[in-house]
Amino acid sequence: MNTNDHGRFIGQTLYSSDNEKIGKIGQVFLDDDTDRPEFLTVNTGLFGMNESFVPAADANVTGDGVRVPFTKDQVKDAPNVDVDSGHLDQSEERRLYEHYGMTYSERSSDSGFADGDTGLATGTTGTAGTAGTADTTTGTFTGEGHDTSGPNTDDAMTRSEERLDVGTTSQEAGRARLRKYVTTEQETVTVPVKKERAVLETEPVTGENRDDALSGPAISEEEHEVVLTEERAVVGKTAEPVERVKLGTETVTDEETVTEEVRKEHIEAEGDVDDRRGTR
């Protein structure tokens, strides 16, 4: 991949070190001093909406695309870089190289794809540079005292595990409504009532009632009447409060089982190593 033909790689498929398809190559960034390819960009994420930067050093051009000595997760998790100006500054280059476990220096170099059919780079990297060389047999970047899979640390690895952080959140589960309606029932009540009736009585003429008895004609015809009264039942209705009903809530506790996948790192040694770790 030289200065004149680097454009033909735009749109080709980029593959990871384990032959997993990463995405399509979108742009080729050249070294300011050498005009050699220094970084490739690849479209990743949902519908290819993200653009990740990948060092062009150690890229291997094959018949079906371009392969780089990095995993798909390394490429997808690469730092986001603002390239609105179309140029990478040294701080952005440093972040990218450190992410891919490559030592950064500010001297320029002739990094990029090598000329010829293999497309394997020399292992140095544009203006950023590297302190090591490419291993042409494994496609990985090595150097003295250098962590091959991440930033330089000490002589020990840290093993990490994911753990589930389980909590609760409130959400609407349903609604309850209090509604009042009217029904009609028959009710029977017995009420005592009074009524008058005529009573015919006789009494003898005595000295006390003699004047009343002789006040009229001696012989005559006449009529006398009495008004009779009676009570009847009268029904009225009066609304009165009976009880109060209100709608409230109470909390009950139940159990819910949550199942989720967690990732755990495992560290194994290769070669003649006496493994003195405890069993985990």
Side-chain angles (χ1 to χ4, degrees):
M1 189 176 188
N2 54 42
T3 304
N4 296 325
D5 66 359
H6 65 267
R8 69 186 178 90
F9 292 95
I10 296 177
Q12 291 200 26
T13 301
L14 189 70
Y15 292 92
S16 66
S17 57
D18 53 359
N19 206 32
E20 188 175 3
K21 181 179 178 180
I22 301 176
K24 298 291 185 181
I25 297 176
Q27 302 182 70
V28 178
F29 281 72
L30 305 180
D31 182 89
D32 291 338
D33 297 329
T34 65
D35 281 340
R36 299 297 302 274
E38 184 174 5
F39 284 100
L40 307 174
T41 68
V42 58
N43 298 323
T44 60
L46 185 63
F47 306 117
M49 297 299 291
N50 295 330
E51 191 172 37
S52 301
F53 278 74
V54 187
D58 298 339
N60 185 19
V61 182
T62 62
D64 57 350
V66 178
R67 282 171 173 77
V68 290
F70 310 109
T71 65
K72 184 175 181 178
D73 287 340
Q74 275 184 287
V75 176
K76 290 176 62 178
D77 295 338
N80 294 325
V81 177
D82 183 9
V83 291
D84 290 341
S85 62
H87 184 271
L88 295 176
D89 59 32
Q90 290 181 347
S91 62
E92 291 169 336
E93 290 180 341
R94 181 185 300 275
R95 282 201 303 145
L96 289 169
Y97 282 123
E98 288 178 350
H99 171 74
Y100 287 102
M102 303 172 69
T103 303
Y104 176 83
S105 68
E106 297 180 358
R107 66 176 179 83
S108 63
S109 65
D110 58 348
S111 67
F113 292 149
D115 294 331
D117 294 335
T118 62
L120 187 64
T122 59
T124 55
T125 62
T127 57
T130 60
T133 58
D135 184 346
T136 58
T137 60
T138 63
T140 58
F141 191 88
T142 60
E144 181 178 356
H146 177 69
D147 287 349
T148 60
S149 61
N152 289 334
T153 57
D154 53 19
D155 57 356
M157 290 184 179
T158 300
R159 190 180 68 85
S160 301
E161 296 181 354
E162 291 181 336
R163 62 180 176 83
L164 291 182
D165 296 324
V166 182
T168 60
T169 183
S170 296
Q171 63 181 19
E172 183 175 313
R175 296 193 178 191
R177 182 180 292 113
L178 193 62
R179 183 172 62 91
K180 183 171 69 172
Y181 61 95
V182 177
T183 61
T184 301
E185 298 178 354
Q186 293 287 342
E187 186 172 329
T188 302
V189 179
T190 301
V191 181
V193 295
K194 296 178 181 180
K195 61 174 62 177
E196 292 180 336
R197 64 177 179 177
V199 178
L200 186 61
E201 296 178 341
T202 61
E203 59 181 14
V205 178
T206 63
E208 294 179 357
N209 61 12
R210 184 177 181 82
D211 291 339
D212 293 332
L214 299 177
S215 62
I219 301 296
S220 65
E221 292 182 358
E222 63 179 288
E223 291 183 356
H224 183 74
E225 67 177 13
V226 176
V227 177
L228 303 176
T229 61
E230 66 178 7
E231 294 179 337
R232 64 180 181 85
V234 178
V235 179
K237 298 178 182 178
T238 302
E240 60 180 14
V242 177
E243 64 180 359
R244 288 177 54 82
V245 180
K246 62 181 180 179
L247 188 64
T249 62
E250 66 177 4
T251 302
V252 296
T253 302
D254 202 353
E255 291 186 351
E256 183 174 330
T257 301
V258 178
T259 302
E260 185 56 78
E261 293 181 349
V262 294
R263 296 180 298 172
K264 298 182 179 181
E265 294 180 338
H266 302 274
I267 299 176
E268 62 179 14
E270 296 181 355
D272 187 10
V273 178
D274 183 11
D275 191 348
R276 299 180 179 179
R277 297 174 300 177
T279 303
R280 289 183 61 89

